[in-house]
């Protein structure tokens, strides 16, 4: 195989180097395309454009493969715990006992959120969407820790530990505010997932008994959401960080990107869609037809389709199985689970979806488990953000460590050509 690609344009031929990754993915390096040819590329949505070389997460959309630092998502979901996966993503290796304990202790040492943050939260209306509060308060952390925007790249470990510690607390604060309940203090005697559940569902001043089934289900869901290479929100974190903006500002930007209904916000849309189908008599065929006529109906089957997976999203497979396990262990009978399965069955036997390789993605079944755990629908994407945080941090640190240039795409201008200014009286 040649290690260069040839491009012929305007009667000239140019050579560009071919880059190959550790999993034999290939790219044409066009870093000098404009200097050599005067041309730029155009690739809306970056469907064919690699923004970086990364050693964090590998996914193969055709094979339905997902690995964090070489470990399969199936292995990690079955055998790891979320903080261990966070350590793996951020530092590149699974932690040994001592490394894990030090990592957990460093996070727990930052569990107290500044009082002023509560004041900011209380400034929002009670029915504020929790994703607004999450991104706002994460950004506000820069104000309470101004060394975050004076730091030299690499001096960020304290901010890493603080974010991992405080994002769950901020999320739980948001939930308690919406419920009109007092907040529950973080409990450093509990593991990461149990502490979050205690802050969410415990009552101030009372011992909260965490259901191990719920904690285990949450641990699995957070692992499955922990990273996903250059998705929209991760690319946002890297792009914002490439301007030397601090970690809190970059993560806050990622939370905002994740909120979009085409991205992480889809998990909330899926449950609302399933509830609509249930209220409409459970007629899945009708909604499959509506999705097939999206251009007329404007209806999308949320939780279906993916930019990269053109085969089953491996996370969806794990979550679908977990949904059955968790609901039966908790004795929860949620009719929308059967509706979801019926919708999947109908779609996967319909040429519209098969021909476009539209399969259930990570968001299709996750909300059914979140709901069984007692998480309100408008917090599903908050849970996604808590899971994705270590991936965002890992990707931001990698971008900084490899001293990537500031991200600044080109464009093709299609607006007015030069014209003379007209005074107001003459217009
Ligand atoms: C996440 O990138 C990541 O890794 C993201 C994520 C992560 O972990 O970070 O995996 C998390 O965001 C998962 C995706 C959650 N979003 C949804 O479930 C929203 C519904 N899905 C779609 O909107 C869509 O599938 C996207 C946004 C996920 C992907 O869109 P693409 O790759 O830009 O594909 P497209 O919109 O160009 O669709 C191609 C065709 C179109 O039909 P034609 O124009 O060819 O006739 O497929 C159709 C689309 O209309 N299509 C759908 C559909 N998704 C695509 N038709 C009906 N229902 C859908 N869900």
């Amino acid at each position: 195989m040649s290690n260069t690609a040839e491009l012929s344009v305007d009667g000239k031929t140019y050579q560009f180097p071919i880059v190959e990754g550790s999993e034999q993915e290939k790219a044409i390096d066009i870093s000098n395309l404009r200097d050599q040819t005067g041309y730029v590329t155009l690739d809306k949505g970056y469907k064919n454009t690699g923004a970086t070389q990364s050693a964090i997460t590998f996914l193969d959309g055709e094979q339905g493969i997902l690995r964090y630092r070489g470990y399969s998502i199936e292995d990690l979901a079955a055998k790891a715990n979320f903080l261990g996966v966070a350590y793996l993503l951020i530092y590149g290796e699974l932690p040994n006992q001592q490394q894990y304990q030090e990592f957990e202790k460093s996070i727990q040492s930052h569990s107290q959120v500044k009082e002023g943050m509560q004041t900011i939260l209380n400034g929002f209306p009670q029915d504020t969407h929790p994703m607004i509060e999450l991104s706002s308060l994460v950004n506000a952390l820069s104000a309470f820790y101004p060394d975050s925007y004076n730091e030299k790249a690499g001096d960020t470990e304290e901010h890493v530990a603080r974010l991992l510690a405080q994002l769950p607390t901020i999320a739980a604060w948001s939930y308690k505010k919406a419920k009109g309940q007092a907040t529950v203090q973080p409990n450093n005697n509990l593991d990461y997932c149990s502490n979050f559940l205690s802050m969410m569902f415990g009552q101030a001043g009372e011992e909260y008994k965490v259901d191990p089934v719920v904690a285990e289900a949450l641990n699995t869901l957070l692992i499955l959401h922990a990273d996903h290479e250059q998705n929209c929100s991760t690319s946002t974190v890297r792009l914002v960080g490439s301007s030397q903006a601090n970690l809190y500002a970059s993560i806050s930007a990622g939370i905002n990107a994740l909120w979009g209904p085409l991205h992480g916000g889809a998990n909330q849309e899926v449950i609302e869609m399933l509830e609509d189908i249930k209220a409409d008599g459970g007629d899945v065929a009708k909604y499959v037809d509506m999705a097939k006529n999206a251009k007329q109906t404007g209806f999308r089957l949320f939780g279906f389709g993916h930019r990269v997976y053109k085969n089953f999203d491996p996370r969806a497979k794990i979550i679908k199985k977990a949904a059955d396990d968790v609901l039966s262990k908790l004795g929860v009978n949620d009719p929308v689970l059967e509706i979801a399965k019926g919708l999947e069955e109908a779609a996967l036997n319909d040429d519209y979806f098969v021909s476009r390789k539209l399969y259930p993605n990570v968001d299709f079944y996750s909300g059914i488990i979140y709901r069984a755990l007692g998480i309100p629908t408008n917090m599903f994407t908050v849970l996604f953000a808590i899971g994705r945080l270590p991936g965002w941090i890992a990707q931001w640190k990698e971008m900084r460590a490899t001293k990537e240039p500031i991200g600044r795409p080109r464009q093709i201008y299609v607006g007015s050509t030069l014209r003379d200014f007209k005074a107001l009286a003459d217009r």
Side-chain angles (χ1 to χ4, degrees):
M1 179 203 82
S2 160
N3 60 1
T4 58
E6 272 191 10
L7 172 68
S8 295
V9 64
D10 297 343
K12 286 186 185 162
T13 300
Y14 303 89
Q15 311 244 320
F16 296 96
I18 286 176
V19 173
E20 183 167 342
S22 51
E23 290 287 349
Q24 289 73 54
E25 295 167 303
K26 296 175 183 62
I28 301 169
D29 182 339
I30 57 164
S31 307
N32 298 317
L33 176 71
R34 190 169 185 275
D35 290 346
Q36 289 191 44
T37 69
Y39 283 72
V40 297
T41 58
L42 190 58
D43 183 20
K44 291 178 184 169
Y46 310 114
K47 295 190 176 188
N48 304 280
T49 298
T52 188
Q53 290 165 285
S54 175
I56 298 170
T57 291
F58 169 69
L59 56 96
D60 179 323
E62 282 65 37
Q63 307 290 323
I65 293 171
L66 172 58
R67 297 186 198 130
Y68 298 159
R69 301 281 190 181
Y71 294 94
S72 77
I73 194 63
E74 291 79 7
D75 258 2
L76 293 169
K79 300 169 187 167
N81 86 348
F82 176 61
L83 272 199
V85 169
Y87 186 99
L88 169 67
L89 286 166
I90 296 170
Y91 301 109
E93 298 297 335
L94 285 169
N96 61 32
Q97 194 65 37
Q98 184 188 339
Q99 289 164 331
Y100 183 87
Q101 282 165 358
E102 285 168 5
F103 186 57
E104 185 178 47
K105 204 180 278 117
S106 75
I107 290 166
Q108 290 178 337
S109 69
H110 289 286
S111 58
Q112 288 306 321
V113 184
K114 295 269 191 192
E115 270 307 302
M117 294 276 281
Q118 185 92 55
T119 309
I120 296 170
L121 178 66
N122 292 336
F124 286 102
Q126 183 161 13
D127 62 353
T128 300
H129 195 288
M131 285 297 277
I132 298 170
E133 294 168 337
L134 197 72
S135 64
S136 304
L137 267 70
V138 165
N139 197 49
L141 283 169
S142 310
F144 293 94
Y145 303 99
D147 61 321
S148 61
Y149 48 85
N150 301 322
E151 102 282 1
K152 296 180 294 308
D155 180 18
T156 57
E157 293 322 301
E158 200 171 321
H159 305 302
V160 166
R162 181 175 294 117
L163 267 168
L164 288 165
Q166 299 195 5
L167 201 70
T169 307
I170 293 167
W173 277 7
S174 191
Y175 173 71
K176 287 298 194 189
K177 170 173 163 274
K179 301 274 283 182
Q181 291 177 0
T183 55
V184 172
Q185 285 299 314
N187 180 345
N188 285 344
N189 299 319
L190 297 173
D191 66 65
Y192 196 82
C193 290
S194 301
N195 177 42
F196 174 65
L197 293 167
S198 162
M199 293 190 290
M200 281 285 287
F201 303 120
Q203 297 303 323
E206 291 174 20
E207 187 67 26
Y208 177 72
K209 189 151 175 29
V210 175
D211 181 334
V213 173
V214 174
E216 179 53 32
L218 181 59
N219 178 67
T220 304
L221 284 168
L222 294 181
I223 289 172
L224 291 171
H225 286 82
D227 194 53
H228 214 239
E229 57 132 276
Q230 303 310 313
N231 59 84
C232 178
S233 55
T234 299
S235 299
T236 301
V237 169
R238 287 182 78 120
L239 187 62
V240 171
S242 75
S243 75
Q244 299 284 308
N246 72 79
L247 182 59
Y248 300 123
S250 305
I251 298 297
S252 174
I255 294 170
N256 286 308
L258 185 72
W259 192 22
L262 294 187
H263 189 15
N267 58 16
Q268 176 174 345
E269 297 287 342
V270 167
I271 282 291
E272 290 167 359
M273 172 186 75
L274 293 172
E275 283 294 344
D276 289 347
I277 296 172
K278 185 179 90 176
D280 191 13
D283 180 358
V284 292
K286 173 180 167 186
Y287 286 82
V288 167
D289 282 342
M290 281 165 61
K292 289 162 63 175
N293 300 299
K295 294 190 172 51
Q296 289 74 30
T297 62
F299 175 76
R300 282 216 153 185
L301 217 44
F302 283 97
F304 262 78
H306 198 276
R307 174 60 59 76
V308 177
Y309 288 125
K310 299 307 173 192
N311 191 324
F312 243 91
D313 181 334
R315 302 166 298 177
K317 272 187 187 169
I318 297 169
I319 294 176
K320 179 181 178 181
K321 185 181 173 311
D324 279 324
D325 295 348
V326 170
L327 268 65
S328 63
K329 280 180 189 164
L330 294 176
V332 169
N333 172 25
D334 188 344
V336 298
L337 178 56
E338 291 318 308
I339 291 176
K341 288 179 179 175
L343 200 52
E344 176 186 353
E345 175 76 20
L348 296 189
N349 287 293
D350 187 297
D351 183 58
Y352 173 92
F353 291 86
V354 174
S355 64
R356 291 169 177 78
K357 299 181 180 176
L358 301 175
Y359 292 90
N361 59 48
V362 67
D363 294 314
F364 190 61
Y365 285 103
S366 56
I368 294 168
I369 301 181
Y370 287 140
R371 185 152 79 166
L373 303 186
I375 308 286
T377 304
N378 72 354
M379 284 197 68
F380 289 178
T381 313
V382 170
L383 271 285
F384 195 143
I386 293 173
R388 186 54 52 90
L389 178 62
W392 285 333
I393 291 171
Q395 299 270 353
W396 186 91
K397 281 170 64 82
E398 181 180 69
M399 174 274 303
R400 281 291 180 84
T402 50
K403 301 203 180 336
E404 297 215 336
I406 184 169
R408 199 264 182 237
R410 290 282 186 157
Q411 64 160 27
I412 295 297
Y413 176 72
V414 292
S416 303
T417 52
L418 180 64
R419 46 186 175 159
D420 296 332
F421 181 80
K422 268 208 189 95
L424 183 57
D426 302 333
R427 289 178 211 157

